[in-house]
Amino acid sequence: MEPEKIIRKMWSTNAFMNVLKIQIKEVHCGGATLEMPIDFDIHTNHWLGVHGGAMAALADCVTGITCASIGKICTTLNMHIDYISNVKGFGTLTVQSKILHSGQSTVNIASVITDDAGNIICNVSYIMFVMDKLKEVPEKW
């Protein structure tokens, strides 16, 4: 089975992503793209914008998939998010990630969250701790 299909199947039962309606749009070796259609009743704050926690959750969800894309099982050690703009409670947010460095014990990832118009909403950087190998996915494909 292709690595992208393996990863999609593994994450299809992720309860947290399913509650937030986060969908995998694309996975390639070293990166991924996820989308979160904004649900007014789930993702918004008192000021009718998307809650920063919902954006942080979207950002964090892409990391496990990104690490899996190089055959690694990781957990987040550090996530730094710069909130550049906000978006009202409609439309879709997209996060795109790429690996900057992959070592034996850590993986550094950068991602960008954008709105429907392509405006940058957040820049995010992560340090991930490598816990194990994901045997079903090769390191390079």
Side-chain angles (χ1 to χ4, degrees), residues 18-74:
N18 289 336
V19 165
L20 292 177
K21 303 182 179 187
I22 296 171
Q23 306 159 2
I24 298 172
K25 286 300 169 187
E26 182 267 338
V27 179
H28 62 274
C29 187
T33 303
L34 276 59
E35 288 184 350
M36 183 174 71
I38 299 165
D39 183 319
F40 185 82
D41 294 326
I42 296 172
H43 301 116
T44 58
N45 59 27
H46 291 310
W47 295 274
L48 309 180
V50 176
H51 193 285
M55 290 185 267
L58 173 62
D60 198 39
C61 286
V62 80
T63 61
I65 294 165
T66 302
C67 290
S69 79
I70 58 166
K72 295 183 179 185
I73 299 170
C74 298

Side-chain angles (χ1 to χ4, degrees), residues 102-114:
S102 176
Q104 290 185 9
S105 60
T106 61
V107 175
N108 295 65
I109 301 172
S111 73
V112 175
I113 297 176
T114 56

Side-chain angles (χ1 to χ4, degrees), residues 1-4 6-7 10 68 71-73 133-139 141:
M1 188 182 295
E2 295 175 29
E4 181 174 3
I6 292 167
I7 292 168
M10 292 175 94
K72 295 183 179 185
I73 299 170
K133 290 186 178 183
L134 182 60
K135 295 168 186 66
E136 298 88 347
V137 177
E139 193 171 325
W141 44 283

